[in-house]
Amino acid sequence: SNATELDLSENYITNISVKSFSNLRNLTKLDLSWANKNHAVNIVANVFKNLTKLNHLSLTGNCLNETPSNLPHSVEILELNNNKIILLDNSSFAGLTNVKKLWLSKKLLLLESVLENYDCLVFQTIVQDTLSPLYGLRNLSALNLGTNFIIKSDSKIFSKFQQLKMIYLAENRLYPSPVKSIANPSDGFHQRLDLSISPYIKPHTDFAYDVSHSLIKQECFDSGRVLILSSNNLFFISPKQFEGYGNIACLNLSGNGFSAALNGTEFSSLPNLTYLDLSFNKIDLAYDNMLFTNLTNLTILDISQNRITKIPDNVYERLPHNLTKLRISGNSLTDFKWNRLKCFHQLQILDLSFNSLSHVKGINSNITQSLTFLDLSHNHIFHLDDGFIKGPKSLTTLSLSNNKLTTINQSTLLSISNNQIKTLFLQQNPFQCTCYSFEFILWIENSNVKIPRLTTKVKCATPENQKGRALIYFDINQCVNDSQAFQIYILITSFIFAFMFVTTVAHLFYWDASYVVHFMKARLKGYRSLNSPESVYDVFVTYDTRDPHVSEWVMKNLRVKLEEEGETHLPLCLEERDWPLGVPLVDNLTQSIQYSRKTLFVLTEGYVKTGVFKLAMYLAHQRLLDENVDVIVLLMLEPVLQHSHFLRLRRRLCEKSVVEWPRTAAAEAWFWQNLRSITLLIRQPDLCLSVTSLA
């Protein structure tokens, strides 16, 4: 009994008697909307009479054929939407002087109750007597007549409601004024109903008394007296269309599809208009006669969804300069003249979302000092000019969401930081999660700017292994700044060039360089002679023991010719035969060269590339330094070292120490004879090379 609010909506109530609420005298709000969706609810007379404190009564969607009688005089909000009420009678509203908001939308005010048979529906005309039962509602401030298939309305009727602030006539079939006379429904004229709904605005599923339920925008309601004519058949407009509605401050003409040529006098009867909604139409801004010319008090203008592809320069000048909010979203703009904003000294909100902008040029303090919110979302912006926001300290919110930005350069970030921007929308952009975004990610981490949905909607699009990951989670430790990267680049490049130079020089001048290096080291560190003891072998033969063909040639040909044939036998030192096992390679080489009078190098392509050859050649040169005796003999089994300066020098100073294997079999006998004659000189004093001759 002490309850103040009761909700019985969406039930299957069929009958409401006098006793239903007899004990609920403290009720202030009663919701009986859609109490029975399938059948009409039977509400007996005087059922609400004793609810003297009731101020909000909802009877929406109950298939009522008439307004319940003897409603409490305390009611301020009365909802009668979606019923089958045929006529409004005086008795139903008698004494309801406190009613401020009356909802009569959705198929009301029909002269014939044939809602199930749309073929026989009659278009409604509002004349003097239609709303006469409501004239006594002296406090009525909101009247909803939406979706009643009204094709003609006498606007002078609404002047009788002195306190009326909102007139809602949206989603009807109002035609432009003046129009040809239309047969009065009382004369029996019937016309098939056009059931098509305007393609621009979706019909409301239900209307609530509160502004927050999207009936109208709050800023429209706050501006003054409101006239809603959206989603009608006003394919052109004239001053007569608005006569009689009173001092209208907010006018909504969205979703009418008008595109006729304008003459600039369309709103001359609305001198105090401050809010104008022309969205979802086909306005052509190319005409010289601008319909906004005389709207000097207009502060809010909405021309969204009008298929505008370009705004001519003169249009910027003719728009009302007192605008505080300008909405041009949902068009096809590819360019916007930012410098024209200097004409609007009070503009605070600019909505350019859902267009085709791809590039945004600089916005500096000379353009605007009043803009607080700039919406550039849902465009094709892929690049922002360096410091594209310079100077306007008023800008606090910037939306760049749903564009094609892959990163934001450093100069742009600095311009954002230097302004008063507190909120930056960046979600749904194909950001690049690489080191190219290093500065951008670092700025996000250190900035005080709020970025909504940073961890859920600001994601990476490339590379593939980062796709779908939050941009803020990209590991910037793998990146370095430009100066460090440049230094590392210089260091690595210098190392590569130095390495290539050294290897090239070593390849071309290895013997010369190694000889000079070791000679200089001996001079600097001091020199100690290693005189050879009495020679055990005449010749130490060094060759490529890994090559079986070379080994076979040495053992079966060279050894036989020098050791077994001829008058004089020359004992040879051979690695495969004479080297003791378990002795290091360096020791074996040193002893073999030291205990042999000569060192015979059997040169092949593979052997000259081995470290053994280089080491043996170095040790043989060491005897030249130690004993001033040249012990090197080169046997060219294959044509190698053709470009070696060492080989050229040896052939010039001691030609007989270089022999070549003949290319024809007929010359082999001469080769062996020549080699034997050279080896016979081994036991004679060496007169070929000496340190003195080299100097």
Side-chain angles (χ1 to χ4, degrees):
S1 60
N2 295 323
T4 58
E5 295 185 5
L6 180 61
D7 187 351
L8 297 175
S9 61
E10 299 188 12
N11 281 290
Y12 295 93
I13 300 172
T14 58
N15 184 65
I16 299 177
S17 64
V18 176
K19 296 181 180 181
S20 299
F21 308 110
S22 59
N23 295 325
L24 300 175
R25 297 180 180 274
N26 292 322
L27 277 182
T28 59
K29 180 179 180 180
L30 177 59
D31 189 351
L32 292 171
S33 59
W34 306 102
N36 195 317
K37 297 182 180 180
N38 301 322
H39 304 284
V41 178
N42 181 29
I43 301 178
V44 300
N46 301 321
V47 69
F48 304 112
K49 184 176 181 181
N50 295 326
L51 302 179
T52 57
K53 297 182 180 180
L54 190 66
N55 58 36
H56 183 181
L57 176 60
S58 177
L59 297 173
T60 297
N62 285 298
C63 302
L64 298 177
N65 294 316
E66 59 182 9
T67 306
S69 59
N70 293 327
L71 294 176
H73 294 178
S74 60
V75 172
E76 296 180 2
I77 302 171
L78 179 59
E79 299 182 43
L80 295 172
N81 306 354
N82 296 77
N83 284 290
K84 296 182 179 180
I85 299 175
I86 299 176
L87 293 174
L88 298 177
D89 58 90
N90 293 325
S91 61
S92 300
F93 296 94
L96 299 181
T97 57
N98 291 319
V99 172
K100 297 179 180 179
K101 298 177 182 179
L102 178 60
W103 260 231
L104 295 172
S105 65
K106 300 289 185 183
K107 304 179 181 64
L108 291 181
L109 302 179
L110 295 173
L111 297 184
E112 295 184 9
S113 180
V114 286
L115 290 176
E116 295 80 10
N117 186 2
Y118 283 95
D119 289 339
C120 300
L121 277 177
V122 177
F123 287 105
Q124 175 64 43
T125 300
I126 297 180
V127 294
Q128 289 289 337
D129 296 336
T130 307
L131 301 179
S132 58
L134 308 180
Y135 291 165
L137 307 181
R138 295 187 300 271
N139 295 319
L140 186 64
S141 62
L143 178 59
N144 186 347
L145 299 174
T147 320
N148 279 290
F149 308 105
I150 301 170
I151 62 172
K152 186 178 180 181
S153 173
D154 186 354
S155 58
K156 296 180 181 179
I157 294 176
F158 299 100
S159 61
K160 298 181 180 293
F161 300 95
Q162 298 297 325
Q163 302 298 323
L164 192 61
K165 185 176 181 180
M166 186 193 76
I167 305 171
Y168 194 91
L169 291 170
E171 299 183 45
N172 283 289
R173 291 295 178 265
L174 290 172
Y175 284 93
S177 298
V179 295
K180 295 181 179 179
S181 59
I182 301 175
N184 193 306
S186 61
D187 296 335
F189 177 82
H190 293 70
Q191 183 175 349
R192 182 182 177 88
L193 173 64
D194 179 8
L195 293 178
S196 62
I197 302 295
S198 171
Y200 299 102
I201 286 187
K202 296 180 180 179
H204 298 287
T205 57
D206 192 14
F207 290 118
Y209 70 96
D210 201 340
V211 173
S212 62
H213 289 186
S214 74
L215 193 60
I216 62 172
K217 295 180 180 179
Q218 183 67 48
E219 55 193 8
C220 173
F221 189 81
D222 293 341
S223 61
R225 196 170 200 184
V226 178
L227 175 60
I228 308 297
L229 295 174
S230 58
S231 299
N232 279 279
N233 290 328
L234 302 176
F235 46 85
F236 72 87
I237 53 178
S238 65
K240 292 185 178 181
Q241 190 76 49
F242 312 110
E243 292 178 353
Y245 285 108
N247 189 18
I248 299 297
C250 175
L251 175 62
N252 189 334
L253 290 171
S254 62
N256 280 282
F258 61 81
S259 59
L262 307 172
N263 57 26
T265 63
E266 286 77 10
F267 303 108
S268 58
S269 59
L270 302 174
N272 296 320
L273 193 64
T274 60
Y275 185 110
L276 178 59
D277 188 346
L278 295 175
S279 59
F280 294 93
N281 285 290
K282 300 177 183 178
I283 297 175
D284 190 348
L285 299 179
Y287 295 107
D288 291 334
N289 298 320
M290 279 295 292
L291 73 167
F292 313 112
T293 303
N294 297 318
L295 299 178
T296 55
N297 293 320
L298 196 66
T299 58
I300 302 176
L301 175 62
D302 190 344
I303 51 175
S304 303
Q305 301 290 344
N306 273 278
R307 305 179 187 178
I308 300 172
T309 58
K310 182 180 180 181
I311 302 179
D313 291 349
N314 60 338
V315 173
Y316 290 98
E317 299 175 359
R318 295 180 180 179
L319 286 173
H321 292 175
N322 292 328
L323 287 179
T324 59
K325 299 178 182 179
L326 177 59
R327 298 187 176 96
I328 321 179
S329 65
N331 288 288
S332 302
L333 293 176
T334 58
D335 185 33
F336 187 81
K337 305 296 184 181
W338 298 101
N339 59 337
R340 297 291 182 175
L341 289 179
K342 60 185 178 182
C343 299
F344 307 98
H345 303 291
Q346 302 179 31
L347 187 63
Q348 299 175 7
I349 297 177
L350 177 59
D351 186 357
L352 291 170
S353 60
F354 292 94
N355 278 284
S356 300
L357 300 174
S358 59
H359 186 76
V360 180
K361 298 181 179 179
I363 306 174
N364 55 49
S365 57
N366 295 328
I367 294 178
T368 177
Q369 283 292 349
S370 60
L371 194 64
T372 59
F373 176 70
L374 176 59
D375 192 349
L376 296 173
S377 62
H378 294 88
N379 278 278
H380 306 302
I381 300 172
F382 64 90
H383 175 73
L384 300 175
D385 270 2
D386 292 345
F388 87 106
I389 297 181
K390 292 182 179 179
K393 302 296 183 180
S394 58
L395 190 63
T396 59
T397 306
L398 173 62
S399 178
L400 294 170
S401 60
N402 294 88
N403 278 283
K404 297 183 179 180
L405 292 171
T406 57
T407 188
I408 299 179
N409 57 44
Q410 187 175 6
S411 60
T412 301
L413 297 175
L414 290 175
S415 68
I416 293 177
S417 300
N418 293 333
N419 284 274
Q420 300 298 319
I421 293 180
K422 297 180 180 179
T423 306
L424 177 63
F425 293 90
L426 292 174
Q427 59 264 31
Q428 302 297 339
N429 275 285
F431 287 113
Q432 183 182 43
C433 289
T434 64
C435 291
Y436 289 107
S437 301
F438 174 80
E439 297 289 348
F440 177 38
I441 298 174
L442 195 62
W443 177 85
I444 291 177
E445 293 180 348
N446 299 324
S447 174
N448 294 325
V449 177
K450 179 183 178 182
I451 303 178
R453 301 182 180 180
L454 178 60
T455 60
T456 58
K457 294 297 183 180
V458 184
K459 296 183 177 182
C460 308
T462 57
E464 190 65 27
N465 62 346
Q466 298 286 340
K467 188 174 183 179
R469 187 180 182 185
L471 175 67
I472 194 64
Y473 294 148
F474 177 71
D475 185 12
I476 62 175
N477 292 326
Q478 58 185 301
C479 305
V480 294
N481 57 39
D482 292 342
S483 59
Q484 292 177 337
F486 181 73
Q487 293 174 359
I488 294 175
Y489 166 76
I490 294 297
L491 181 61
I492 294 176
T493 304
S494 301
F495 173 78
I496 292 174
F497 277 108
F499 177 78
M500 293 180 63
F501 175 77
V502 171
T503 53
T504 303
V505 170
H507 177 72
L508 297 177
F509 309 105
Y510 173 76
W511 299 112
D512 307 80
S514 62
Y515 179 82
V516 171
V517 169
H518 288 295
F519 179 78
M520 295 303 297
K521 286 174 64 177
R523 292 291 298 269
L524 293 173
K525 293 182 179 180
Y527 184 75
R528 183 172 61 87
S529 177
L530 296 175
N531 294 324
S532 298
E534 185 178 354
S535 298
V536 178
Y537 302 100
D538 283 326
V539 180
F540 166 53
V541 182
T542 176
Y543 56 94
D544 191 0
T545 57
R546 298 176 303 175
D547 191 335
H549 299 289
V550 176
S551 295
E552 183 180 5
W553 183 86
V554 170
M555 299 301 292
K556 293 184 178 181
N557 291 278
L558 179 64
R559 183 190 62 80
V560 173
K561 294 294 183 181
L562 295 181
E563 281 190 338
E564 299 179 2
E565 297 181 0
E567 298 178 357
T568 304
H569 296 171
L570 300 174
L572 304 180
C573 178
L574 301 174
E575 175 184 344
E576 294 177 296
R577 185 187 66 180
D578 302 317
W579 279 13
L581 299 176
V583 179
L585 174 65
V586 176
D587 293 345
N588 273 327
L589 276 176
T590 302
Q591 293 177 7
S592 298
I593 294 173
Q594 291 295 329
Y595 289 104
S596 302
R597 292 186 176 90
K598 292 290 182 182
T599 299
L600 177 63
F601 291 85
V602 181
L603 303 182
T604 59
E605 189 70 34
Y607 183 51
V608 298
K609 297 178 180 179
T610 63
V612 176
F613 165 71
K614 296 176 182 179
L615 183 58
M617 185 63 68
Y618 167 70
L619 294 174
H621 277 91
Q622 189 69 35
R623 285 197 64 182
L624 177 62
L625 297 174
D626 290 343
E627 305 172 19
N628 199 20
V629 175
D630 181 26
V631 297
I632 297 174
V633 178
L634 302 179
L635 193 160
M636 312 288 289
L637 196 59
E638 294 177 355
V640 295
L641 302 176
Q642 298 300 307
H643 302 290
S644 172
H645 294 287
F646 166 74
L647 184 59
R648 293 176 182 177
L649 179 63
R650 176 161 287 277
R651 276 178 170 168
R652 176 168 296 184
L653 297 178
C654 191
E655 184 178 3
K656 61 183 180 180
S657 67
V658 180
V659 293
E660 296 185 17
W661 176 253
R663 298 183 180 181
T664 61
E668 290 184 8
W670 177 87
F671 167 78
W672 291 117
Q673 182 180 356
N674 184 41
L675 181 60
R676 176 169 284 279
S677 64
I678 294 174
T679 55
L680 288 175
L681 296 174
I682 291 175
R683 295 177 179 178
Q684 300 177 7
D686 188 280
L687 300 174
C688 186
L689 292 180
S690 66
V691 176
T692 305
S693 63
L694 287 174

